[in-house]
Amino acid sequence: MPSSTVALSIDVEDWHQMVSRAFGVEQWDRPNRHFERQMREVFDFLDDVGGSATFFMLGQTIKNYPELAQEAARKGIEIATHGFGHEQVFTLDEKQFRRDVETSIDLLVKHTGTRPVGYRAPLFSINQDTVWALEVLSELGFEYDSSLYDTPKVPRRIAGIPRRATQLELPSGRTIWELPPSTLDLGGFRLPMGGGSYWRLFPSWVLIPALRRIASRDESRALYFHPYEFDSEPLVSPMPAELSPRNLLRAGWVTARYWVGHTQLLTRLRKAGQHFGFLRYRDAMDEVRSTLGARARSLSRAGVIL
Ligand SMILES: [Zn+2]
């Protein structure tokens, strides 16, 4: 991966629907104008910075907004999948997981004519208990996965998550490439800095040198964001009037938390785009594959990468 580039991804899911579902709102699965505005702003941002990106699209979202997948494909954005229902993989069994991914593939093929080669699990939820998920992805023809993120937020995460794009040899002997989001080595502690939380928190003078440092070690420069992080308007979550006071407080907290540092995030991301140039995950993986070649590392059945 050339040191001048950063792989950019957007997990395309409707934040409003997800929050409504989490709070038990009836008819949470309705298209809404907020999400459409956010996606317009994502497209405008990419046009403006002049780079490309990968969209890990949620099947549930494509079902509601098929034209967005079509527009992204027309623009040359890589369309990858985020599964269908946004269930954490370790809450599913193998059969349910396979069905979830296949449903999302079918929707993408139907609406864009292209079968995705990349997958990212909701909340990076492929862990030591779900090594079989990578086998399923390989069987379904996926070339790469980007679900292994070295962050304490993932319970029982895979041990030995690679710091750069790596080909994994699975217990069955099948292989799949892993493209992990960026982490920064801070004297033995790894800061998972690939996503929006950290980009809302830290200023550019921390983030840009951090990416340079990661580049100098030839480690993975791969970022992930969400459409709501591109919204120029305050987040509004449609809550029913019958929510209990406790749930109303929780809903307010969830919304406020996602809003903190929001306006600075895009300024920082724009600067990163000017410094490095954004590219699609698939292209980043191809670069690594052509420069390093296929030096597979083994992933054991117990979820340890050797
Ligand atoms: Zn997600």
Side-chain angles (χ1 to χ4, degrees):
M1 175 170 187
S3 59
S4 59
T5 55
V6 166
L8 177 67
S9 70
I10 313 289
D11 292 355
V12 178
E13 62 202 31
D14 184 339
W15 181 86
H16 305 268
Q17 287 186 354
M18 312 271 269
V19 173
S20 300
R21 181 171 72 170
F23 282 95
V25 175
E26 270 183 50
Q27 297 182 303
W28 57 269
D29 182 20
R30 276 185 179 168
N32 70 81
R33 62 191 168 80
H34 303 294
F35 182 72
E36 290 175 32
R37 180 185 63 244
Q38 291 159 6
M39 286 304 296
R40 286 263 64 80
E41 301 201 36
V42 170
F43 286 130
D44 289 350
F45 176 87
L46 291 174
D47 285 346
D48 204 27
V49 296
S52 194
T54 292
F55 282 5
F56 289 97
M57 299 198 81
L58 189 68
Q60 181 75 62
T61 305
I62 299 161
K63 200 173 83 163
N64 281 335
Y65 311 93
E67 67 288 350
L68 291 176
Q70 290 155 358
E71 180 170 356
R74 273 200 305 277
K75 284 175 173 288
I77 289 166
E78 179 191 4
I79 309 291
T81 178
H82 198 33
F84 179 80
H86 213 268
E87 310 291 346
Q88 295 191 74
V89 176
F90 50 72
T91 66
L92 305 175
D93 62 28
E94 187 174 334
K95 202 169 154 192
Q96 291 168 324
F97 174 73
R98 186 185 291 270
R99 196 181 317 128
D100 179 87
V101 177
E102 281 177 337
T103 309
S104 75
I105 295 172
D106 291 347
L107 277 162
L108 284 176
V109 171
K110 178 179 168 192
H111 293 296
T112 69
T114 306
R115 193 180 168 92
V117 298
Y119 171 83
R120 169 171 293 146
L123 304 168
F124 303 103
S125 55
I126 293 181
N127 68 2
Q128 294 188 346
D129 303 322
T130 53
V131 170
W132 47 256
L134 294 170
E135 301 274 13
V136 170
L137 294 173
S138 179
E139 280 170 34
L140 291 175
F142 283 91
E143 289 180 29
Y144 76 91
D145 170 71
S146 182
S147 307
L148 305 189
Y149 190 25
D150 204 354
T151 165
K153 278 188 185 171
V154 179
R156 294 179 48 71
R157 67 187 184 278
I158 299 278
I161 292 175
R163 294 173 184 181
R164 61 186 62 149
T166 300
Q167 191 183 34
L168 296 180
E169 187 178 329
L170 306 175
S172 67
R174 289 180 166 277
T175 58
I176 191 164
W177 279 79
E178 186 61 39
L179 186 49
S182 291
T183 57
L184 177 67
D185 181 14
L186 293 175
F189 171 76
R190 291 209 77 81
L191 182 74
M193 59 154 292
S197 313
Y198 292 87
W199 285 69
R200 286 196 288 271
L201 206 58
F202 293 116
S204 296
W205 57 265
V206 171
L207 294 165
I208 304 288
L211 282 175
R212 276 210 207 96
R213 192 161 142 201
I214 290 170
S216 72
R217 297 172 174 204
D218 205 20
E219 294 183 356
S220 183
R221 294 179 307 288
L223 306 178
Y224 69 94
F225 296 92
H226 299 85
Y228 70 81
E229 290 166 318
F230 290 76
D231 201 342
S232 55
E233 295 185 19
L235 283 174
V236 178
S237 194
M239 289 294 161
E242 64 271 20
L243 264 191
S244 67
R246 185 167 168 272
N247 267 349
L248 270 176
L249 268 178
R250 275 179 65 209
W253 164 242
V254 165
T255 309
R257 191 159 54 98
Y258 281 111
W259 188 249
V260 171
H262 176 90
T263 44
Q264 293 90 334
L265 183 150
L266 283 192
T267 308
R268 293 164 190 164
L269 191 56
R270 199 177 297 277
K271 276 190 189 158
Q274 288 158 356
H275 271 81
F276 296 95
F278 293 132
L279 80 171
R280 309 181 297 180
Y281 269 46
R282 194 175 64 197
D283 298 330
M285 187 195 61
D286 284 346
E287 289 283 350
V288 174
R289 195 154 42 183
S290 64
T291 51
L292 294 183
R295 289 184 305 175
R297 290 174 62 187
S298 304
L299 170 61
S300 77
R301 217 171 285 281
V304 179
I305 296 173
L306 305 166

PDB file of all heavy atoms in Angstrom, residues 93-121:
ATOM      1  N   ASP A  93     -25.895 -18.323  14.863  1.00  0.00           N
ATOM      2  CA  ASP A  93     -25.185 -19.570  14.581  1.00  0.00           C
ATOM      3  C   ASP A  93     -24.758 -19.530  13.108  1.00  0.00           C
ATOM      4  O   ASP A  93     -25.092 -18.597  12.374  1.00  0.00           O
ATOM      5  CB  ASP A  93     -26.036 -20.803  14.933  1.00  0.00           C
ATOM      6  CG  ASP A  93     -27.316 -20.895  14.114  1.00  0.00           C
ATOM      7  OD1 ASP A  93     -27.332 -20.387  12.970  1.00  0.00           O
ATOM      8  OD2 ASP A  93     -28.311 -21.469  14.605  1.00  0.00           O
ATOM      9  N   GLU A  94     -24.024 -20.564  12.700  1.00  0.00           N
ATOM     10  CA  GLU A  94     -23.416 -20.535  11.369  1.00  0.00           C
ATOM     11  C   GLU A  94     -24.472 -20.396  10.261  1.00  0.00           C
ATOM     12  O   GLU A  94     -24.299 -19.654   9.306  1.00  0.00           O
ATOM     13  CB  GLU A  94     -22.587 -21.815  11.177  1.00  0.00           C
ATOM     14  CG  GLU A  94     -21.782 -21.800   9.917  1.00  0.00           C
ATOM     15  CD  GLU A  94     -20.846 -22.998   9.813  1.00  0.00           C
ATOM     16  OE1 GLU A  94     -20.454 -23.542  10.867  1.00  0.00           O
ATOM     17  OE2 GLU A  94     -20.523 -23.377   8.676  1.00  0.00           O
ATOM     18  N   LYS A  95     -25.573 -21.139  10.452  1.00  0.00           N
ATOM     19  CA  LYS A  95     -26.624 -21.118   9.434  1.00  0.00           C
ATOM     20  C   LYS A  95     -27.272 -19.724   9.328  1.00  0.00           C
ATOM     21  O   LYS A  95     -27.510 -19.204   8.234  1.00  0.00           O
ATOM     22  CB  LYS A  95     -27.680 -22.161   9.819  1.00  0.00           C
ATOM     23  CG  LYS A  95     -28.525 -22.642   8.688  1.00  0.00           C
ATOM     24  CD  LYS A  95     -29.336 -23.854   9.143  1.00  0.00           C
ATOM     25  CE  LYS A  95     -30.594 -23.946   8.305  1.00  0.00           C
ATOM     26  NZ  LYS A  95     -31.546 -24.892   8.867  1.00  0.00           N
ATOM     27  N   GLN A  96     -27.529 -19.112  10.483  1.00  0.00           N
ATOM     28  CA  GLN A  96     -28.142 -17.778  10.490  1.00  0.00           C
ATOM     29  C   GLN A  96     -27.193 -16.748   9.865  1.00  0.00           C
ATOM     30  O   GLN A  96     -27.615 -15.864   9.124  1.00  0.00           O
ATOM     31  CB  GLN A  96     -28.468 -17.356  11.927  1.00  0.00           C
ATOM     32  CG  GLN A  96     -29.597 -18.157  12.557  1.00  0.00           C
ATOM     33  CD  GLN A  96     -29.692 -17.917  14.058  1.00  0.00           C
ATOM     34  OE1 GLN A  96     -28.676 -17.750  14.745  1.00  0.00           O
ATOM     35  NE2 GLN A  96     -30.901 -17.900  14.580  1.00  0.00           N
ATOM     36  N   PHE A  97     -25.895 -16.899  10.180  1.00  0.00           N
ATOM     37  CA  PHE A  97     -24.905 -15.967   9.629  1.00  0.00           C
ATOM     38  C   PHE A  97     -24.857 -16.085   8.105  1.00  0.00           C
ATOM     39  O   PHE A  97     -24.893 -15.081   7.382  1.00  0.00           O
ATOM     40  CB  PHE A  97     -23.529 -16.264  10.233  1.00  0.00           C
ATOM     41  CG  PHE A  97     -22.423 -15.448   9.607  1.00  0.00           C
ATOM     42  CD1 PHE A  97     -22.290 -14.092   9.882  1.00  0.00           C
ATOM     43  CD2 PHE A  97     -21.496 -16.035   8.739  1.00  0.00           C
ATOM     44  CE1 PHE A  97     -21.269 -13.338   9.297  1.00  0.00           C
ATOM     45  CE2 PHE A  97     -20.487 -15.298   8.157  1.00  0.00           C
ATOM     46  CZ  PHE A  97     -20.372 -13.941   8.437  1.00  0.00           C
ATOM     47  N   ARG A  98     -24.806 -17.320   7.630  1.00  0.00           N
ATOM     48  CA  ARG A  98     -24.745 -17.545   6.181  1.00  0.00           C
ATOM     49  C   ARG A  98     -25.970 -16.928   5.485  1.00  0.00           C
ATOM     50  O   ARG A  98     -25.843 -16.263   4.466  1.00  0.00           O
ATOM     51  CB  ARG A  98     -24.670 -19.054   5.889  1.00  0.00           C
ATOM     52  CG  ARG A  98     -24.455 -19.395   4.419  1.00  0.00           C
ATOM     53  CD  ARG A  98     -24.525 -20.907   4.217  1.00  0.00           C
ATOM     54  NE  ARG A  98     -23.408 -21.603   4.820  1.00  0.00           N
ATOM     55  CZ  ARG A  98     -22.258 -21.853   4.174  1.00  0.00           C
ATOM     56  NH1 ARG A  98     -22.101 -21.470   2.932  1.00  0.00           N
ATOM     57  NH2 ARG A  98     -21.291 -22.493   4.794  1.00  0.00           N
ATOM     58  N   ARG A  99     -27.137 -17.123   6.097  1.00  0.00           N
ATOM     59  CA  ARG A  99     -28.358 -16.581   5.496  1.00  0.00           C
ATOM     60  C   ARG A  99     -28.324 -15.044   5.481  1.00  0.00           C
ATOM     61  O   ARG A  99     -28.698 -14.398   4.505  1.00  0.00           O
ATOM     62  CB  ARG A  99     -29.587 -17.081   6.267  1.00  0.00           C
ATOM     63  CG  ARG A  99     -30.880 -16.894   5.482  1.00  0.00           C
ATOM     64  CD  ARG A  99     -32.116 -17.366   6.225  1.00  0.00           C
ATOM     65  NE  ARG A  99     -31.939 -18.637   6.894  1.00  0.00           N
ATOM     66  CZ  ARG A  99     -32.221 -18.852   8.178  1.00  0.00           C
ATOM     67  NH1 ARG A  99     -32.667 -17.874   8.930  1.00  0.00           N
ATOM     68  NH2 ARG A  99     -32.043 -20.027   8.720  1.00  0.00           N
ATOM     69  N   ASP A 100     -27.842 -14.474   6.587  1.00  0.00           N
ATOM     70  CA  ASP A 100     -27.747 -13.009   6.689  1.00  0.00           C
ATOM     71  C   ASP A 100     -26.851 -12.448   5.581  1.00  0.00           C
ATOM     72  O   ASP A 100     -27.203 -11.480   4.898  1.00  0.00           O
ATOM     73  CB  ASP A 100     -27.172 -12.653   8.076  1.00  0.00           C
ATOM     74  CG  ASP A 100     -27.015 -11.163   8.289  1.00  0.00           C
ATOM     75  OD1 ASP A 100     -27.992 -10.524   8.732  1.00  0.00           O
ATOM     76  OD2 ASP A 100     -25.931 -10.633   7.999  1.00  0.00           O
ATOM     77  N   VAL A 101     -25.684 -13.083   5.387  1.00  0.00           N
ATOM     78  CA  VAL A 101     -24.743 -12.579   4.375  1.00  0.00           C
ATOM     79  C   VAL A 101     -25.288 -12.826   2.965  1.00  0.00           C
ATOM     80  O   VAL A 101     -25.230 -11.941   2.101  1.00  0.00           O
ATOM     81  CB  VAL A 101     -23.345 -13.236   4.556  1.00  0.00           C
ATOM     82  CG1 VAL A 101     -22.389 -12.764   3.465  1.00  0.00           C
ATOM     83  CG2 VAL A 101     -22.775 -12.905   5.927  1.00  0.00           C
ATOM     84  N   GLU A 102     -25.862 -14.012   2.757  1.00  0.00           N
ATOM     85  CA  GLU A 102     -26.396 -14.317   1.416  1.00  0.00           C
ATOM     86  C   GLU A 102     -27.520 -13.357   1.030  1.00  0.00           C
ATOM     87  O   GLU A 102     -27.619 -12.929  -0.117  1.00  0.00           O
ATOM     88  CB  GLU A 102     -26.902 -15.766   1.364  1.00  0.00           C
ATOM     89  CG  GLU A 102     -25.766 -16.760   1.210  1.00  0.00           C
ATOM     90  CD  GLU A 102     -26.233 -18.214   1.231  1.00  0.00           C
ATOM     91  OE1 GLU A 102     -27.317 -18.503   1.785  1.00  0.00           O
ATOM     92  OE2 GLU A 102     -25.509 -19.065   0.715  1.00  0.00           O
ATOM     93  N   THR A 103     -28.362 -13.002   2.010  1.00  0.00           N
ATOM     94  CA  THR A 103     -29.448 -12.055   1.716  1.00  0.00           C
ATOM     95  C   THR A 103     -28.871 -10.715   1.272  1.00  0.00           C
ATOM     96  O   THR A 103     -29.364 -10.077   0.334  1.00  0.00           O
ATOM     97  CB  THR A 103     -30.331 -11.850   2.971  1.00  0.00           C
ATOM     98  OG1 THR A 103     -30.702 -13.124   3.467  1.00  0.00           O
ATOM     99  CG2 THR A 103     -31.578 -11.058   2.660  1.00  0.00           C
ATOM    100  N   SER A 104     -27.808 -10.287   1.944  1.00  0.00           N
ATOM    101  CA  SER A 104     -27.215  -8.992   1.572  1.00  0.00           C
ATOM    102  C   SER A 104     -26.559  -9.079   0.187  1.00  0.00           C
ATOM    103  O   SER A 104     -26.653  -8.141  -0.605  1.00  0.00           O
ATOM    104  CB  SER A 104     -26.206  -8.535   2.632  1.00  0.00           C
ATOM    105  OG  SER A 104     -25.008  -9.265   2.530  1.00  0.00           O
ATOM    106  N   ILE A 105     -25.932 -10.214  -0.120  1.00  0.00           N
ATOM    107  CA  ILE A 105     -25.322 -10.379  -1.454  1.00  0.00           C
ATOM    108  C   ILE A 105     -26.409 -10.289  -2.525  1.00  0.00           C
ATOM    109  O   ILE A 105     -26.263  -9.584  -3.530  1.00  0.00           O
ATOM    110  CB  ILE A 105     -24.595 -11.738  -1.576  1.00  0.00           C
ATOM    111  CG1 ILE A 105     -23.401 -11.811  -0.621  1.00  0.00           C
ATOM    112  CG2 ILE A 105     -24.118 -11.971  -3.015  1.00  0.00           C
ATOM    113  CD1 ILE A 105     -22.758 -13.198  -0.556  1.00  0.00           C
ATOM    114  N   ASP A 106     -27.514 -11.021  -2.295  1.00  0.00           N
ATOM    115  CA  ASP A 106     -28.603 -11.042  -3.287  1.00  0.00           C
ATOM    116  C   ASP A 106     -29.121  -9.629  -3.564  1.00  0.00           C
ATOM    117  O   ASP A 106     -29.386  -9.260  -4.704  1.00  0.00           O
ATOM    118  CB  ASP A 106     -29.759 -11.935  -2.799  1.00  0.00           C
ATOM    119  CG  ASP A 106     -29.357 -13.410  -2.783  1.00  0.00           C
ATOM    120  OD1 ASP A 106     -28.302 -13.741  -3.368  1.00  0.00           O
ATOM    121  OD2 ASP A 106     -30.083 -14.215  -2.166  1.00  0.00           O
ATOM    122  N   LEU A 107     -29.267  -8.836  -2.490  1.00  0.00           N
ATOM    123  CA  LEU A 107     -29.770  -7.467  -2.676  1.00  0.00           C
ATOM    124  C   LEU A 107     -28.783  -6.624  -3.485  1.00  0.00           C
ATOM    125  O   LEU A 107     -29.187  -5.844  -4.358  1.00  0.00           O
ATOM    126  CB  LEU A 107     -29.994  -6.814  -1.305  1.00  0.00           C
ATOM    127  CG  LEU A 107     -31.318  -7.146  -0.636  1.00  0.00           C
ATOM    128  CD1 LEU A 107     -31.260  -6.824   0.843  1.00  0.00           C
ATOM    129  CD2 LEU A 107     -32.454  -6.372  -1.304  1.00  0.00           C
ATOM    130  N   LEU A 108     -27.489  -6.791  -3.197  1.00  0.00           N
ATOM    131  CA  LEU A 108     -26.489  -6.004  -3.927  1.00  0.00           C
ATOM    132  C   LEU A 108     -26.445  -6.401  -5.394  1.00  0.00           C
ATOM    133  O   LEU A 108     -26.357  -5.546  -6.282  1.00  0.00           O
ATOM    134  CB  LEU A 108     -25.106  -6.166  -3.285  1.00  0.00           C
ATOM    135  CG  LEU A 108     -24.904  -5.382  -1.993  1.00  0.00           C
ATOM    136  CD1 LEU A 108     -23.546  -5.686  -1.377  1.00  0.00           C
ATOM    137  CD2 LEU A 108     -25.007  -3.883  -2.277  1.00  0.00           C
ATOM    138  N   VAL A 109     -26.507  -7.711  -5.644  1.00  0.00           N
ATOM    139  CA  VAL A 109     -26.489  -8.176  -7.041  1.00  0.00           C
ATOM    140  C   VAL A 109     -27.728  -7.646  -7.768  1.00  0.00           C
ATOM    141  O   VAL A 109     -27.648  -7.158  -8.896  1.00  0.00           O
ATOM    142  CB  VAL A 109     -26.412  -9.715  -7.096  1.00  0.00           C
ATOM    143  CG1 VAL A 109     -26.626 -10.217  -8.519  1.00  0.00           C
ATOM    144  CG2 VAL A 109     -25.060 -10.204  -6.560  1.00  0.00           C
ATOM    145  N   LYS A 110     -28.879  -7.711  -7.074  1.00  0.00           N
ATOM    146  CA  LYS A 110     -30.128  -7.264  -7.693  1.00  0.00           C
ATOM    147  C   LYS A 110     -30.075  -5.772  -8.057  1.00  0.00           C
ATOM    148  O   LYS A 110     -30.503  -5.364  -9.124  1.00  0.00           O
ATOM    149  CB  LYS A 110     -31.284  -7.529  -6.712  1.00  0.00           C
ATOM    150  CG  LYS A 110     -32.632  -7.067  -7.201  1.00  0.00           C
ATOM    151  CD  LYS A 110     -33.711  -7.392  -6.171  1.00  0.00           C
ATOM    152  CE  LYS A 110     -35.002  -6.674  -6.519  1.00  0.00           C
ATOM    153  NZ  LYS A 110     -35.957  -6.729  -5.415  1.00  0.00           N
ATOM    154  N   HIS A 111     -29.516  -4.960  -7.151  1.00  0.00           N
ATOM    155  CA  HIS A 111     -29.600  -3.517  -7.372  1.00  0.00           C
ATOM    156  C   HIS A 111     -28.378  -2.906  -8.040  1.00  0.00           C
ATOM    157  O   HIS A 111     -28.450  -1.794  -8.573  1.00  0.00           O
ATOM    158  CB  HIS A 111     -29.871  -2.796  -6.042  1.00  0.00           C
ATOM    159  CG  HIS A 111     -31.229  -3.106  -5.493  1.00  0.00           C
ATOM    160  ND1 HIS A 111     -32.392  -2.744  -6.157  1.00  0.00           N
ATOM    161  CD2 HIS A 111     -31.628  -3.775  -4.382  1.00  0.00           C
ATOM    162  CE1 HIS A 111     -33.438  -3.158  -5.457  1.00  0.00           C
ATOM    163  NE2 HIS A 111     -33.008  -3.792  -4.388  1.00  0.00           N
ATOM    164  N   THR A 112     -27.233  -3.574  -7.974  1.00  0.00           N
ATOM    165  CA  THR A 112     -26.037  -2.973  -8.604  1.00  0.00           C
ATOM    166  C   THR A 112     -25.455  -3.872  -9.692  1.00  0.00           C
ATOM    167  O   THR A 112     -24.577  -3.437 -10.436  1.00  0.00           O
ATOM    168  CB  THR A 112     -24.917  -2.710  -7.566  1.00  0.00           C
ATOM    169  OG1 THR A 112     -24.400  -3.980  -7.112  1.00  0.00           O
ATOM    170  CG2 THR A 112     -25.430  -1.925  -6.367  1.00  0.00           C
ATOM    171  N   GLY A 113     -25.885  -5.128  -9.743  1.00  0.00           N
ATOM    172  CA  GLY A 113     -25.355  -6.045 -10.754  1.00  0.00           C
ATOM    173  C   GLY A 113     -23.982  -6.572 -10.409  1.00  0.00           C
ATOM    174  O   GLY A 113     -23.347  -7.260 -11.206  1.00  0.00           O
ATOM    175  N   THR A 114     -23.490  -6.246  -9.199  1.00  0.00           N
ATOM    176  CA  THR A 114     -22.140  -6.666  -8.826  1.00  0.00           C
ATOM    177  C   THR A 114     -22.161  -7.443  -7.518  1.00  0.00           C
ATOM    178  O   THR A 114     -22.851  -7.049  -6.568  1.00  0.00           O
ATOM    179  CB  THR A 114     -21.223  -5.429  -8.650  1.00  0.00           C
ATOM    180  OG1 THR A 114     -21.312  -4.659  -9.839  1.00  0.00           O
ATOM    181  CG2 THR A 114     -19.781  -5.831  -8.416  1.00  0.00           C
ATOM    182  N   ARG A 115     -21.390  -8.518  -7.481  1.00  0.00           N
ATOM    183  CA  ARG A 115     -21.281  -9.311  -6.257  1.00  0.00           C
ATOM    184  C   ARG A 115     -20.141  -8.742  -5.409  1.00  0.00           C
ATOM    185  O   ARG A 115     -19.033  -8.536  -5.920  1.00  0.00           O
ATOM    186  CB  ARG A 115     -20.981 -10.764  -6.655  1.00  0.00           C
ATOM    187  CG  ARG A 115     -21.144 -11.752  -5.544  1.00  0.00           C
ATOM    188  CD  ARG A 115     -20.833 -13.173  -6.038  1.00  0.00           C
ATOM    189  NE  ARG A 115     -20.723 -14.064  -4.909  1.00  0.00           N
ATOM    190  CZ  ARG A 115     -21.757 -14.772  -4.431  1.00  0.00           C
ATOM    191  NH1 ARG A 115     -22.914 -14.723  -5.018  1.00  0.00           N
ATOM    192  NH2 ARG A 115     -21.593 -15.551  -3.361  1.00  0.00           N
ATOM    193  N   PRO A 116     -20.389  -8.470  -4.131  1.00  0.00           N
ATOM    194  CA  PRO A 116     -19.329  -7.874  -3.303  1.00  0.00           C
ATOM    195  C   PRO A 116     -18.192  -8.859  -3.030  1.00  0.00           C
ATOM    196  O   PRO A 116     -18.427 -10.063  -2.931  1.00  0.00           O
ATOM    197  CB  PRO A 116     -20.056  -7.523  -2.000  1.00  0.00           C
ATOM    198  CG  PRO A 116     -21.206  -8.477  -1.936  1.00  0.00           C
ATOM    199  CD  PRO A 116     -21.616  -8.726  -3.359  1.00  0.00           C
ATOM    200  N   VAL A 117     -16.976  -8.335  -2.890  1.00  0.00           N
ATOM    201  CA  VAL A 117     -15.828  -9.195  -2.535  1.00  0.00           C
ATOM    202  C   VAL A 117     -15.327  -8.892  -1.127  1.00  0.00           C
ATOM    203  O   VAL A 117     -14.411  -9.555  -0.629  1.00  0.00           O
ATOM    204  CB  VAL A 117     -14.663  -9.076  -3.550  1.00  0.00           C
ATOM    205  CG1 VAL A 117     -15.106  -9.525  -4.928  1.00  0.00           C
ATOM    206  CG2 VAL A 117     -14.081  -7.664  -3.583  1.00  0.00           C
ATOM    207  N   GLY A 118     -15.901  -7.860  -0.477  1.00  0.00           N
ATOM    208  CA  GLY A 118     -15.456  -7.489   0.865  1.00  0.00           C
ATOM    209  C   GLY A 118     -16.610  -7.516   1.860  1.00  0.00           C
ATOM    210  O   GLY A 118     -17.758  -7.228   1.517  1.00  0.00           O
ATOM    211  N   TYR A 119     -16.298  -7.866   3.106  1.00  0.00           N
ATOM    212  CA  TYR A 119     -17.313  -7.955   4.164  1.00  0.00           C
ATOM    213  C   TYR A 119     -16.777  -7.312   5.438  1.00  0.00           C
ATOM    214  O   TYR A 119     -15.578  -7.415   5.744  1.00  0.00           O
ATOM    215  CB  TYR A 119     -17.629  -9.433   4.457  1.00  0.00           C
ATOM    216  CG  TYR A 119     -18.516  -9.624   5.678  1.00  0.00           C
ATOM    217  CD1 TYR A 119     -19.901  -9.505   5.582  1.00  0.00           C
ATOM    218  CD2 TYR A 119     -17.960  -9.905   6.929  1.00  0.00           C
ATOM    219  CE1 TYR A 119     -20.720  -9.662   6.702  1.00  0.00           C
ATOM    220  CE2 TYR A 119     -18.769 -10.063   8.056  1.00  0.00           C
ATOM    221  CZ  TYR A 119     -20.147  -9.936   7.934  1.00  0.00           C
ATOM    222  OH  TYR A 119     -20.953 -10.083   9.035  1.00  0.00           O
ATOM    223  N   ARG A 120     -17.688  -6.644   6.164  1.00  0.00           N
ATOM    224  CA  ARG A 120     -17.353  -6.186   7.532  1.00  0.00           C
ATOM    225  C   ARG A 120     -18.502  -6.541   8.457  1.00  0.00           C
ATOM    226  O   ARG A 120     -19.662  -6.217   8.188  1.00  0.00           O
ATOM    227  CB  ARG A 120     -17.103  -4.681   7.569  1.00  0.00           C
ATOM    228  CG  ARG A 120     -17.030  -4.168   9.023  1.00  0.00           C
ATOM    229  CD  ARG A 120     -16.571  -2.748   9.141  1.00  0.00           C
ATOM    230  NE  ARG A 120     -15.202  -2.604   8.735  1.00  0.00           N
ATOM    231  CZ  ARG A 120     -14.722  -1.530   8.117  1.00  0.00           C
ATOM    232  NH1 ARG A 120     -15.508  -0.529   7.837  1.00  0.00           N
ATOM    233  NH2 ARG A 120     -13.442  -1.467   7.794  1.00  0.00           N
ATOM    234  N   ALA A 121     -18.175  -7.187   9.569  1.00  0.00           N
ATOM    235  CA  ALA A 121     -19.196  -7.593  10.530  1.00  0.00           C
ATOM    236  C   ALA A 121     -19.693  -6.389  11.326  1.00  0.00           C
ATOM    237  O   ALA A 121     -18.918  -5.484  11.639  1.00  0.00           O
ATOM    238  CB  ALA A 121     -18.608  -8.613  11.495  1.00  0.00           C
TER     239      ALA A 121
END
